Amino acid sequence: MVGAVMTRNASPGFLFLLISFGTILGIAGTDLVLPAVPTMPRELGGTPALAQMVLAAYAAGTLVGLLTFGELGARYSPRKLLVWSLGLLATTSILSAFAPNLQWLIALRFAQGAFGSGPAVFAPGFIQGLYTGEKAAGMFGRLGSIESLTPALAPLAGAFLLKVGGWEASFLVLGGCAAFCSIASRAYSRSLPDRPGALEVHRSYFSILQNADFLRHALSQAFSLAGILIFVFGAPAVMTEVLGGGIQDFIVLQICGIANFILASNLSNMLAQKFGVERMIFIGTAGLSVGFLLILAYVGIGGESLIILVPLWVLTNGAFGIRGPVGFHQAIIASKGDHSRGAALIVAAILGVTAAGTAGAAPFLIMGWWPLALTSCLTALSALLSLTLIPRSRSRP
């Protein structure tokens, strides 16, 4: 059916939007569902800790899919793989809405994450084929900003869908959007570089990981964003199931954090040009660690008030906004031309750390904020250690 769609030509700007939309869907597969997770034990049976595995399974599946698509993209047409990836994401998303219990949903979520990871792998190669020179570098930074912003905005949309359509609504909307994007990608496929990988220097995952510059930037990016995501993933369960609040408390927390993230991320490139990329990445990472340390200190003494938590969360999001876009771009540059495998490793690391942290904190969320804050704090400190302990490479790209 997809193969019968007539192909059309499109401008690079339109194709960038299409590629970005596909990437957003893969990332939003976790965050769009997030507000519904606390309600799943009541709807599908099981425990709150098992419901957290709905998030961890998607992240683990995405990790496997990223590495798999990274290899497939070097052997087969990425634009065909993009269409199949989005089509299978649509199928598993819709099937998830009809899962009879949490165990089935967790299994489907693993498959959903694996199938939906293709766009994140192929996007850098497509961009490299559509743009050249400084324009390509600018579009890489823009893609990094979009990928960093999605986890902040998607939970708000998920909360709205939960209210109007129940826990199934997020899966149905995600499935519909993925189906649309798959059809559109097929329709405009000939405008995408047929083999964007041919423009890249293909290397093994192991050889990329031997590059100290890539390792320090990829790990610092992964630990930084994972620290944010772990906290976001667990916050609805703590606020609604443990503290007895409503999902509106989570929405307030996210809106305030998002506003400062957007402001900081828009200033990120300008600050990097003025004060230096490495300096701003370090400052943002240090600020992120300080923000989580302050959150941990407050909840460690029994603090629960949003009046205190919101400003601390705003500080934390702003710090990540400073380092997020330029940190992602530096990691891609450090892959030395193999953008597909480089991007796959970066996003796989983000989701791998997120899955491990989410699964590790899940059994202890009944105790309140502090297990979640401790896990995020240790993750953020790992990002800072990655920058300080891994030496810069002396080699040139």
Side-chain angles (χ1 to χ4, degrees):
M1 188 175 193
V2 174
V5 178
M6 184 179 297
T7 58
R8 296 174 173 82
N9 292 319
S11 66
F14 174 84
L15 293 172
F16 176 81
L17 291 176
L18 183 60
I19 293 165
S20 299
F21 185 50
T23 305
I24 286 171
L25 292 178
I27 297 173
T30 290
D31 304 285
L32 196 65
V33 175
L34 178 61
V37 170
T39 70
M40 288 178 178
R42 293 194 297 271
E43 300 289 339
L44 296 172
T47 65
L50 185 62
Q52 288 296 112
M53 295 302 104
V54 171
L55 303 175
Y58 187 89
T62 303
L63 189 155
V64 173
L66 287 165
L67 299 178
T68 303
F69 277 117
E71 286 299 316
L72 291 175
R75 293 169 172 80
Y76 304 100
S77 170
R79 67 186 186 185
K80 291 181 180 179
L81 291 170
L82 176 69
V83 174
W84 279 104
S85 173
L86 290 165
L88 290 169
L89 172 62
T91 301
T92 50
S93 297
I94 293 170
L95 288 174
S96 294
F98 297 96
N101 53 52
L102 269 179
Q103 288 82 358
W104 267 104
L105 182 58
I106 290 169
L108 285 167
R109 287 284 286 170
F110 183 89
Q112 187 188 27
F115 291 137
S117 58
V121 174
F122 304 133
F126 285 134
I127 292 171
Q128 188 71 11
L130 292 170
Y131 301 96
T132 58
E134 290 299 319
K135 184 65 173 178
M139 300 310 284
F140 276 131
R142 191 169 299 176
L143 178 66
S145 297
I146 291 170
E147 290 183 341
S148 299
L149 185 58
T150 301
L153 291 176
L156 303 183
F160 172 77
L161 291 173
L162 175 64
K163 185 176 181 180
V164 300
W167 70 269
E168 302 94 338
S170 293
F171 292 102
L172 293 174
V173 168
L174 184 63
C177 289
F180 169 80
C181 196
S182 178
I183 293 170
S185 297
R186 176 65 183 88
Y188 294 99
S189 62
R190 72 179 179 187
S191 295
L192 291 168
D194 187 25
R195 295 289 300 171
L199 301 173
E200 300 183 31
V201 180
H202 287 300
R203 304 156 64 216
S204 68
Y205 284 124
F206 181 71
S207 64
I208 295 174
L209 291 172
Q210 287 181 305
N211 181 344
D213 281 339
F214 177 83
L215 201 59
R216 69 192 295 272
H217 284 300
L219 285 177
S220 66
Q221 181 76 2
F223 282 122
S224 294
L225 183 51
I228 295 283
L229 294 180
I230 290 167
F231 195 85
V232 169
F233 287 179
V238 173
M239 292 175 128
T240 61
E241 301 300 310
V242 179
L243 302 182
I247 196 65
Q248 66 272 12
D249 294 334
F250 173 71
I251 293 174
V252 169
L253 189 74
Q254 275 296 89
I255 288 177
C256 293
I258 288 167
N260 204 38
F261 172 83
I262 293 173
L263 176 63
S265 61
N266 284 330
L267 295 173
S268 177
N269 286 328
M270 182 190 72
L271 292 172
Q273 290 175 5
K274 185 173 182 179
F275 299 107
V277 173
E278 289 284 345
R279 180 177 296 175
M280 294 315 302
I281 290 175
F282 182 84
I283 289 173
T285 308
L288 182 73
S289 299
V290 170
F292 275 123
L293 282 169
L294 292 174
I295 291 174
L296 179 60
Y298 176 64
V299 300
I301 60 173
E304 299 176 356
S305 173
L306 283 181
I307 296 175
I308 304 297
L309 282 174
V310 166
L312 296 179
W313 183 239
V314 166
L315 168 65
T316 306
N317 278 261
F320 179 73
I322 288 174
R323 65 137 294 137
V326 292
F328 177 82
H329 188 208
Q330 284 301 109
I332 289 293
I333 291 173
S335 68
K336 294 187 175 181
D338 198 339
H339 304 113
S340 293
R341 285 190 177 92
L345 285 170
I346 295 164
V347 183
I350 292 168
L351 293 173
V353 175
T354 300
T358 299
F364 306 101
L365 294 185
I366 190 74
M367 300 179 184
W369 279 117
W370 75 262
L372 194 61
L374 177 62
T375 305
S376 292
C377 185
L378 292 175
T379 306
L381 289 172
S382 297
L384 192 59
L385 288 174
S386 298
L387 287 177
T388 55
L389 296 183
I390 300 176
R392 298 186 194 181
S393 174
R394 294 180 180 274
S395 61
R396 296 286 181 182

